[in-house]
Amino acid sequence: AAAEPRCPACAAAAERRLLEEAAKRQLLEKLRLRERPKLIHAVPRAAVARALRRLQAGGARRGPEEEEEEEERSYEIISFAEPEPRSPSGLGLRFQFSHTQDQDIHILQAQLWLYLRVPQDLVTSLTLRIFPAGGEGEVAGGNRTLLSEQQLRARGSGWHTLTLMPTLQSFFEGEGRTLRLELEGHGDGGDIMAMVNASWSHQPFLVAKARLREPGHHMAKR
Amino acid sequence: SLRCSQNSNLCCRRDYYVDFRDIGWNDWIIKPEGYQINYCVGQCPLHVAGSPGMASSFHTAVFNLVKANNIQASGHSCCVPTRRRPLSVLYFDRHSNIVKTDIPDMIVDACGCS
């Protein structure tokens, strides 16, 4: 700033630029990001608002374990489903998480929120299967590891919450970054695709509460 | 702790607010709308070492040490943050996931002389 010409307005502008750069650097460093994220696709505002309201309504109470380990940073992640081309037996919903190799992620809680549009007078039952999906094309056929399978009964339209905790923990320790869910309807459930993503303000999403430990954390503690 | 006014030169807290719209970051940071990047600035004459913003007993102890050891010439004190508070951030990551986290010690609330 000293090199800048001596005028009050210039000094103020120089200070503003300096502080804006400092603010950017501090935020990226504290959020452990190398650069600001470039958003590949925008999530509909309605879906964001609905997910945040859901999160607030079903806000997880803090267990003693979380209170005791307060200094480790915790994250709450909402991941919106990206629909995939229809697979033979249902609908694939792709979620993407990513964390760098040197971060040890410990999942505390994980839930899937699914909105099913079912005619009022109909009761349908579904089987939900969860697979890790590696590269883009590794979807159809091929030997996939079944992470979890759950039965679901739906009477009329509404949100359904499924706990995925044990599944996600093993998934996160592996190499995979994409989680793939498949739904299969039984009886005259009609078209699963129509049921799940009837409108994009009811986009399925995954809520995970995770805790991040840096390498050498315990050494620092000692 | 003191908040800087137009012409204060003693150690104080200068407030500065960066609006995320001004730096084009309001597309990926959902909340908050900006960041209060306060900072500490000003002189710390030795007789105010250890204040303000710290227990007055601490300042008295430091003041007595300075007098007793006659370190008026060599010792110096710096204007540093003495209290900070966390910042909760809700943002989109590169996969358009929404992430919420609380960053500890992010906003300077008070400054004092070390």
Side-chain angles (χ1 to χ4, degrees), chain B residues 81-106:
Chain B
T82 53
R83 197 175 62 242
R84 293 166 183 267
R85 54 187 160 84
L87 174 69
S88 285
V89 185
L90 194 67
Y91 62 95
F92 285 111
D93 72 5
R94 60 194 171 97
H95 297 296
S96 296
N97 296 322
I98 299 177
V99 181
K100 173 195 173 289
T101 189
D102 300 329
I103 310 172
D105 301 333
M106 193 63 173

Side-chain angles (χ1 to χ4, degrees), chain A residues 61-107:
Chain A
R61 253 137 317 280
R62 294 158 58 82
E65 186 209 25
E66 285 154 9
E67 303 265 350
E68 179 246 320
E69 299 267 351
E70 183 47 44
E71 79 284 356
E72 286 160 355
R73 275 280 279 292
S74 79
Y75 287 78
E76 285 171 55
I77 305 162
I78 300 179
S79 180
F80 290 93
E82 287 163 30
E84 289 202 330
R86 237 164 102 90
S87 67
S89 62
L91 167 71
L93 302 172
R94 191 147 56 91
F95 301 91
Q96 289 219 325
F97 300 95
S98 56
H99 60 101
T100 56
Q101 257 350 62
D102 60 357
Q103 285 171 335
D104 163 22
I105 282 198
H106 176 61
I107 301 285

Side-chain angles (χ1 to χ4, degrees), chain A residues 107-202:
Chain A
I107 301 285
L108 301 173
Q109 290 166 23
Q111 287 170 336
L112 169 68
W113 292 76
L114 207 56
Y115 185 86
L116 296 182
R117 193 179 291 279
V118 178
Q120 212 43 35
D121 50 0
L122 188 72
V123 176
T124 185
S125 65
L126 297 163
T127 302
L128 165 72
R129 292 194 188 86
I130 301 163
F131 303 94
E136 300 298 333
E138 196 238 308
V139 168
N143 44 7
R144 304 180 296 177
T145 326
L146 177 62
L147 290 178
S148 169
E149 184 171 291
Q150 294 187 29
Q151 304 303 324
L152 185 66
R153 276 181 70 79
R155 176 196 300 275
S157 301
W159 285 96
H160 295 267
T161 321
L162 301 116
T163 303
L164 301 171
M165 198 2 234
T167 325
L168 264 184
Q169 187 59 51
S170 58
F171 158 71
F172 256 93
E173 267 133 26
E175 259 315 302
R177 291 287 174 280
T178 303
L179 191 63
R180 180 179 157 78
L181 283 71
E182 288 193 0
L183 291 167
E184 187 188 321
H186 308 304
D188 61 345
D191 178 356
I192 299 294
M193 180 81 166
M195 261 197 231
V196 174
N197 62 350
S199 76
W200 274 107
S201 64
H202 291 83

Side-chain angles (χ1 to χ4, degrees), chain B residues 28-102:
Chain B
W28 68 282
I29 297 181
I30 304 168
K31 280 282 184 226
E33 277 86 19
Y35 170 37
Q36 194 74 43
I37 183 167
N38 304 337
Y39 57 98
C40 303
V41 67
Q43 291 155 21
C44 279
L46 215 43
H47 65 280
V48 289
S51 84
M54 293 170 221
S56 56
S57 54
F58 175 71
H59 166 242
T60 311
V62 168
F63 187 60
N64 292 336
L65 277 173
V66 167
K67 276 196 305 183
N69 294 280
N70 189 14
I71 52 169
Q72 197 71 11
S74 61
H76 68 275
S77 168
C78 309
C79 181
V80 293
T82 53
R83 197 175 62 242
R84 293 166 183 267
R85 54 187 160 84
L87 174 69
S88 285
V89 185
L90 194 67
Y91 62 95
F92 285 111
D93 72 5
R94 60 194 171 97
H95 297 296
S96 296
N97 296 322
I98 299 177
V99 181
K100 173 195 173 289
T101 189
D102 300 329

